[in-house]
Amino acid sequence: MLGVIKQKAGSTALNSSIIRQSLQRFRPSVSSVRSYAAAAKQMTVRDALNSALVEEMSADPKVFLMGEEVGEYQGAYKISKGLLEKFGPDRVLDTPITEAGFAGIGVGAAYYGLKPVVEFMTFNFSMQAIDHIINSAAKSNYMSAGQINVPIVFRGPNGAAAGVGAQHSQCYAAWFGSCPGLKVLTPYSSEDARGLLKAAIRDPDPVVFLENEMLYGESFPISEEALDSNFTLPIGKAKIEREGKHVTITAFSKMVGYALQAAEILSKEGISAEVINLRSIRPLDRATINASVRKTNRLVTVEEGLPQHGVGAEICMSVVEESFAYLDAPIERIAGADVPMPYAATLERIAVPQVEDIVRAAKRACYRAVSLAAAA
């Protein structure tokens, strides 16, 4: 394989026709307080992702998009709207329903120096391609002693939507976050979506980019700086969405919005909550988290994924290792119920963290409510 890969230096102008020929084999006859600097306009997360793709594909001919229904249908969630018309079928490739097939083709293209953006219609379908993501993309740089870079982005909606059952409601932040060689990003706002996706496409290593279906239509203020074509956000750096002094709340993706709502409710009861938008799961911004905990002396972690071996568990361990002496209360961990996602709407709501769960946890951490153990 190395003999083939060494040819990539002279193959930067590789025609996408090679990719299309490979695909053809598979084809049968998708603040409260926010520091948005001088926000001048609103933009949906959908439009933010779309604009990031347009700009990066315009700036670099090696960037291309592939996935189910990304071309003619313009994406299952219309993230790729207008891209086929603008860039043509050589750079916006509709694939058959074979995640293992097109993920593998994407990794091979990245070996040759192209920059594929592989869309999964939902990250639940990435299970069909996990061998290529983990064993081919994530490990090649290490196993080749740095000779092979794999500049590929795997993106799509992640986590619970609404009424789509157990197989389509999983959060993969902890799954992929445990794998060395991957970078795992979880945007919340439109600024996050633009800045992080552009950074992911430019990164020389494989990036898992976990979006949220429920946020696509949400509008957020966006600054002129974030609208600049050169705007990127640093991978591995969290953002303090709201400053506070009594309790730290960490969250990512859709849960950031819930945490901000909880912080607003808590403020009316005299509790000042600091909300951290993680943005990056791997690498994790341990420095920002620990600095906040050393200030507030309390921590609540929030995620919609499963609790065991979750992102919150890793954050808890980081704080115990680095800031245990600063804690004035036990850490509170809010996560999804430890069950497959129920289909019934009433049970589904119970299985996913709600704003009131965060409020109660913060109150417990601040000794404003009777603990669950004491009430038992």
Side-chain angles (χ1 to χ4, degrees):
M1 182 177 71
L2 282 174
V4 176
I5 301 309
K6 287 176 181 177
Q7 299 174 18
K8 73 176 185 179
S11 305
T12 54
L14 180 69
N15 285 331
S16 294
S17 60
I18 295 176
I19 310 301
R20 292 182 61 78
Q21 289 169 15
S22 299
L23 277 173
Q24 198 65 36
R25 297 179 183 178
F26 291 92
R27 292 186 191 275
S29 304
V30 177
S31 265
S32 297
V33 179
R34 296 186 184 133
S35 56
Y36 301 108
K41 62 176 290 187
Q42 297 270 327
M43 177 179 278
T44 65
V45 170
R46 176 182 290 107
D47 289 342
L49 293 168
N50 177 270
S51 65
L53 285 169
V54 168
E55 290 173 7
E56 293 307 299
M57 292 178 72
S58 297
D60 189 343
K62 292 183 290 185
V63 179
F64 70 96
L65 176 68
M66 65 191 305
E68 296 154 358
E69 299 186 343
V70 299
E72 295 287 349
Y73 192 67
Q74 304 190 87
Y77 300 96
K78 303 301 180 250
I79 304 300
S80 54
K81 184 177 180 180
L83 267 63
L84 178 62
E85 181 180 0
K86 184 174 182 64
F87 298 104
D90 283 343
R91 296 183 64 199
V92 182
L93 290 84
D94 278 322
T95 67
I97 304 174
T98 172
E99 284 80 10
F102 64 76
I105 291 170
V107 173
Y111 282 169
Y112 269 86
L114 298 181
K115 297 181 178 180
V117 178
V118 175
E119 176 177 310
F120 294 120
M121 192 177 293
T122 161
F123 253 93
N124 298 278
F125 300 158
S126 72
M127 293 292 91
Q128 303 294 323
I130 198 165
D131 181 53
H132 289 300
I133 299 171
I134 302 298
N135 285 326
S136 299
K139 298 178 182 177
S140 291
N141 185 262
Y142 176 83
M143 294 179 70
S144 68
Q147 296 180 72
I148 303 174
N149 286 106
V150 191
I152 188 170
V153 176
F154 300 99
R155 53 153 296 270
N158 169 72
V164 292
Q167 300 101 321
H168 293 175
S169 300
Q170 299 166 109
C171 176
Y172 288 94
W175 290 58
F176 291 117
S178 67
C179 181
L182 289 179
K183 295 174 182 175
V184 182
L185 305 180
T186 53
Y188 162 60
S189 66
S190 301
E191 185 173 297
D192 289 356
R194 263 184 65 81
L196 291 175
L197 183 55
K198 289 167 73 68
I201 293 171
R202 298 180 189 188
D203 198 89
D205 297 310
V207 178
V208 171
F209 197 85
L210 302 175
E211 301 155 12
N212 189 284
E213 176 186 342
M214 307 302 284
L215 289 175
Y216 284 148
E218 290 289 322
S219 291
F220 293 87
I222 191 162
S223 66
E224 288 300 321
E225 178 190 7
L227 293 171
D228 188 277
S229 61
N230 292 317
F231 174 76
T232 61
L233 288 171
I235 292 175
K237 182 64 178 173
K239 176 187 178 185
I240 297 176
E241 295 279 353
R242 175 178 179 134
E243 294 188 354
K245 58 184 180 180
H246 295 144
V247 60
T248 297
I249 304 175
T250 65
F252 60 92
S253 191
K254 184 175 70 173
M255 290 294 110
V256 176
Y258 283 26
L260 288 168
Q261 291 179 52
E264 186 62 30
I265 294 170
L266 290 165
S267 70
K268 296 174 182 177
E269 300 187 33
I271 297 175
S272 174
E274 181 149 294
V275 177
I276 298 178
N277 172 6
L278 295 176
R279 283 181 169 170
S280 177
I281 302 302
R282 188 181 186 102
L284 185 66
D285 189 355
R286 301 171 193 273
T288 293
I289 295 167
N290 279 279
S292 178
V293 170
R294 292 182 182 201
K295 177 177 69 173
T296 66
N297 310 115
R298 296 172 176 85
L299 173 64
V300 177
T301 71
V302 185
E303 63 188 306
E304 65 177 3
L306 302 174
Q308 187 161 322
H309 312 303
V311 174
E314 179 64 25
I315 292 172
C316 290
M317 195 62 220
S318 175
V319 170
V320 166
E321 289 174 337
E322 299 180 40
S323 305
F324 181 75
Y326 292 84
L327 289 172
D328 286 344
I331 298 172
E332 294 281 347
R333 181 174 55 156
I334 303 297
D338 199 18
V339 297
M341 182 64 69
Y343 181 70
T346 50
L347 295 177
E348 183 182 63
R349 188 181 190 282
I350 297 171
V352 177
Q354 303 296 327
V355 173
E356 55 265 31
D357 298 322
I358 305 171
V359 171
R360 284 194 293 265
K363 286 183 176 180
R364 288 195 299 269
C366 295
Y367 300 109
R368 299 290 185 90
V370 178
S371 69
L372 294 177

